Amino acid sequence: MGRTGTTYRARLTIILNACLEVSAEQGVVDVNTLSRKVDLTERAVKDYLDDLSNLDILTYEGAGRYRVNSSRVYEVAEELLFEPRSIIRVEDFIGQEVAAQAELVSVSDKVRRLLEKLDFPKVLGGEVREKLFRVRVEDTEYGGVLLGETLVLPKFAQDLFLDNVFVCGSASSHRLEHWALLDFSLLSVAAISSGAYLGFFDKNILDQSKSLSRYIPDLHSYRGSEPFVEGEPFFEMSTDFPELLEAGRNIAARYLREIQHYKLGMEMIEEHSDKFQVYFKLGSLVPHGFMVYSKELVRLRDRCHDLFYKFLKTAGENGVIPVGVSPISMDNFFFRIATRILGSDFGSTNDLNFLSMVLEDGDSTCLIRRGHEKGKPPIKNNYEFYVMKKPFVTKYEFVSKNPLEEQKQITDLAFSLSSISLKKRFEGGPSVVASAKNVAVVNLEQLMRAVKGSLKTGLMGMWDELQRTRDLRRLKRAGRRKEDAKKD
C-alpha cells in the first residue's frame, strides 16, 4: 500500500481514540473540543469525523456535535479485550463486513471514497492471490511452520451433497453484569451457557425432526429432588489494583465458560460419536493464553487446561476430529508471513481482513503449524487454516497426526455447511455451530431472567423483613417511652 493510505489510517485512528476520550468525559463529541485536543483546525477535524460517521462509528446530531455509536464500538472493543494494545484502530472496523457489503450490495459512494483514501482497494482483486498461489511452501524459509504445496490453495473446497449425515457443533456464551442490591451493595454476576446441536441432513436438507439440541445448565423446579449439582458458583477476587478487577472477572468468566464448554463437548462425543466424524466447536480449540497470577485464576486455568486434554483424549478414543471455528479472530500470523515472502507493504491488519480481500470462493490457505504460546497448554500437531465461503473467511483449528488428509475432510464439510449470516456482526461458520450458538444464547437469556427474578424476590423479602423488624423495634421503644412518661 502507498504511504498516503497508511498515513491517513494512522491519523484517523488518532481521531477515533480522541473521540472515545471526549465522549467518555462529555457524553458527546463536539468539533471545537476535539480540535483543541488533537491540535487541528475545526475544518480538518470535521472531515475526519465525517469519515468516522460513514463507518457508522459516529452519528451526527447537528450543531457540530457527534455521538459515539456505543454498541458498535463495544462489539469491536469486546473482541479486542485481551489484545496486547491500548488503542482501537480504524482497521478494526473495516474488513469482512465491508467485503461482504461489496459482494452483496453496492456500498455507498461515501464509503467507497473512504476506502480509496485508506488504500484498501489496492489489495482487492486477483493480483495478490495469484502471487500467493505461485509461492511454493518448500521454496520459502517457513517450511517448519507452513505445510502444503502453495500458500493459497485455489478452489480447494468442494460442495458436498449431504445425505443421511449427522454433523455436530457446539457454542457457548456468557454475560457479566453488575447489579446494585438495594442501597447497600454491588453484586457482579456472570451467567454462562453452552449449547450443542446435532443436525441431521437428508438429501442436503436439514431435518429438524431427527436433529437434537442440548444446553447446560438446565434449570428446573425443585420438587422434592436434588435442587442443584454441588459446585463452586462463587469466586472471591481481590487485588491491590482495583482497575484490574474488571479484567479479572472477565478472565474468570471466560475460563468458566470454556470449562463448561469442554464438558458439554465430551458428553456429546461420548453419547453420539457413532453418528459423526467431525465436531465443530465455536471459538478457539485451545484455551486462550491468559497470563494470570491470582490464585483463583491460576486454579481455573489449570482446571480448564486439564479438561482440554480430556476433551482431546475423548475425541481421539471415539474417532472424532475436534475442530475450533473462529469467524472472528485478531491473529495476523499468516498476514505477516505473506507480506515478508512477497516483500510488500500492505499496512497493518489481521488475517481475516486481509484474506477476505484476497481469497475467492472455495479458496483455502495452506496449513499453519502453531507452536507453543505463552499461557496456553502445550500441544503437539496443532494446525490452523482459513477458508473463504463468499463473502466471509473463517479460521479452522484442529489437532491431527494426518493434517493434510483431515484438512480436506474438514474443509469440504465446513464449506458445504456454511451460509451467509444475516447478522450485522458475522458469527457462524458451519450452520450447526450457528444453531448451537442460538441454543446457548436463548438459554443464557432465560438464566439471566431466572437469576434476576430470584434475587429480586429474595432481596425484597429480606427488605420487607428488615422493615417489619425495624417497625417492631420502633413500636417497642415508643411503648417504653410512654410507660416512662406515665411513671414520671
Side-chain angles (χ1 to χ4, degrees):
M1 286 186 181
R3 291 183 179 178
T4 303
T6 303
T7 302
Y8 189 76
R9 285 203 306 277
R11 290 176 178 172
L12 195 58
T13 291
I14 292 173
I15 299 296
L16 166 61
N17 285 271
C19 285
L20 298 180
E21 292 177 13
V22 173
S23 176
E25 295 168 357
Q26 302 180 174
V28 294
V29 179
D30 66 273
V31 175
N32 183 268
T33 301
L34 190 64
S35 65
R36 294 197 305 270
K37 187 176 186 65
V38 298
D39 196 23
L40 290 173
T41 65
E42 291 189 12
R43 176 62 181 273
V45 164
K46 193 174 185 309
D47 289 339
Y48 286 115
L49 294 178
D50 287 342
D51 284 341
L52 293 177
S53 297
N54 292 332
L55 292 174
D56 196 28
I57 300 172
L58 301 177
T59 55
Y60 184 57
E61 295 194 334
R65 293 156 63 91
Y66 295 77
R67 189 171 296 276
V68 172
N69 185 342
S70 56
S71 60
R72 178 155 167 73
V73 173
Y74 175 77
E75 287 173 341
V76 173
E78 188 178 33
E79 295 160 14
L80 299 170
L81 183 61
F82 299 106
E83 290 296 306
R85 52 187 168 99
S86 58
I87 63 171
I88 295 180
R89 301 191 187 111
V90 69
E91 292 98 317
D92 298 324
F93 294 87
I94 303 174
Q96 295 222 70
E97 282 188 71
V98 174
Q101 283 184 322
E103 192 69 28
L104 299 175
V105 296
S106 297
V107 297
S108 68
D109 291 337
K110 290 181 179 179
V111 174
R112 197 176 299 280
R113 286 196 295 270
L114 173 59
L115 294 179
E116 289 173 357
K117 284 196 284 186
L118 296 172
D119 276 350
F120 271 83
K122 290 189 178 181
V123 297
L124 290 170
E127 182 180 350
V128 176
R129 175 179 179 268
E130 290 301 317
K131 288 181 179 179
L132 293 174
F133 168 60
R134 289 197 295 267
V135 174
R136 300 191 64 81
V137 171
E138 61 185 18
D139 296 333
T140 71
E141 59 182 304
Y142 299 99
V145 177
L146 305 179
L147 187 62
E149 294 184 1
T150 59
L151 292 183
V152 167
L153 310 174
K155 306 299 179 184
F156 182 71
Q158 293 181 337
D159 205 345
L160 302 176
F161 184 76
L162 302 175
D163 186 30
N164 195 31
V165 172
F166 278 99
V167 186
C168 190
S170 68
S172 62
S173 184
H174 80 276
R175 188 185 303 168
L176 178 63
E177 293 187 1
H178 308 292
W179 300 339
L181 304 182
L182 302 176
D183 297 325
F184 54 81
S185 184
L186 185 69
L187 178 66
S188 296
V189 177
I192 301 161
S193 173
S194 296
Y197 188 82
L198 183 61
F200 179 75
F201 294 85
D202 182 20
K203 296 180 176 59
N204 232 28
I205 298 175
L206 178 65
D207 186 343
Q208 294 280 12
S209 64
K210 294 184 179 180
S211 302
L212 64 91
S213 62
R214 178 179 296 179
Y215 54 85
I216 54 174
D218 183 5
L219 294 184
H220 59 275
S221 300
Y222 172 56
R223 296 178 180 175
S225 59
E226 187 66 28
F228 60 89
V229 177
E230 185 176 357
E232 298 171 335
F234 300 103
F235 296 87
E236 182 179 354
M237 296 184 64
S238 61
T239 175
D240 294 332
F241 305 95
E243 63 273 16
L244 299 180
L245 192 56
E246 181 69 11
R249 288 170 175 157
N250 272 286
I251 294 173
R254 293 193 176 213
Y255 273 136
L256 289 167
R257 187 178 77 175
E258 285 301 290
I259 287 169
Q260 186 186 77
H261 200 170
Y262 287 130
K263 286 182 178 179
L264 179 61
M266 287 188 288
E267 288 181 14
M268 293 299 294
I269 291 173
E270 288 172 346
E271 295 178 18
H272 302 286
S273 61
D274 59 320
K275 299 182 179 72
F276 58 87
Q277 292 182 310
V278 178
Y279 175 90
F280 291 106
K281 172 186 178 291
L282 183 61
S284 175
L285 182 65
V286 183
H288 201 293
F290 299 125
M291 301 301 294
V292 294
Y293 300 97
S294 162
K295 289 183 179 179
E296 189 60 49
L297 289 180
V298 169
R299 191 174 70 83
L300 283 177
R301 181 200 63 191
D302 294 343
R303 185 175 166 194
C304 182
H305 290 184
D306 288 343
L307 279 171
F308 165 66
Y309 289 127
K310 290 179 181 177
F311 171 73
L312 290 184
K313 182 179 179 182
T314 301
E317 291 174 346
N318 289 274
V320 172
I321 307 170
V323 180
V325 181
S326 299
I328 298 173
S329 171
M330 296 300 151
D331 278 357
N332 63 352
F333 195 77
F334 185 86
F335 171 76
R336 287 186 283 114
I337 288 178
T339 52
R340 288 170 190 162
I341 291 176
L342 298 182
S344 302
D345 178 16
F346 295 124
S348 174
T349 189
N350 59 55
D351 291 339
L352 288 177
N353 287 351
F354 173 67
L355 292 169
S356 69
M357 294 180 279
V358 172
L359 299 184
E360 294 183 0
D361 197 39
D363 286 356
S364 171
T365 65
C366 65
L367 287 173
I368 306 163
R369 181 186 285 113
R370 298 305 297 260
H372 177 56
E373 299 177 43
K374 282 187 176 181
K376 290 190 175 184
I379 184 70
K380 295 181 179 178
N381 304 317
N382 184 26
Y383 299 90
E384 65 185 30
F385 63 97
Y386 296 85
V387 177
M388 163 69 87
K389 173 72 173 185
K390 280 277 186 185
F392 296 105
V393 176
T394 304
K395 182 173 77 171
Y396 296 94
E397 175 190 3
F398 65 111
V399 176
S400 173
K401 293 181 180 179
N402 304 301
L404 293 174
E405 179 182 332
E406 292 184 355
Q407 179 192 14
K408 179 61 176 171
Q409 183 179 355
I410 295 167
T411 301
D412 291 346
L413 187 57
F415 183 80
S416 305
L417 289 167
S418 297
S419 58
I420 296 172
S421 172
L422 299 179
K423 295 181 180 179
K424 186 177 180 182
R425 294 292 291 176
F426 176 70
E427 184 172 299
S431 58
V432 290
V433 169
S435 297
K437 179 73 172 182
N438 185 60
V439 170
V441 169
V442 170
N443 188 48
L444 181 66
E445 295 296 332
Q446 294 175 345
L447 285 173
M448 293 300 287
R449 285 198 295 268
V451 172
K452 282 182 179 180
S454 298
L455 281 174
K456 185 176 181 180
T457 302
L459 287 170
M460 291 306 296
M462 181 183 71
W463 182 252
D464 290 342
E465 186 64 30
L466 288 172
Q467 290 281 70
R468 284 194 295 270
T469 302
R470 186 178 64 179
D471 292 343
L472 286 172
R473 287 177 178 174
R474 285 176 176 174
L475 286 172
K476 288 180 180 179
R477 284 197 297 268
R480 283 195 296 269
R481 282 198 296 268
K482 195 178 278 189
E483 289 178 5
D484 293 340
K486 287 179 180 180
K487 289 177 182 180
D488 294 339

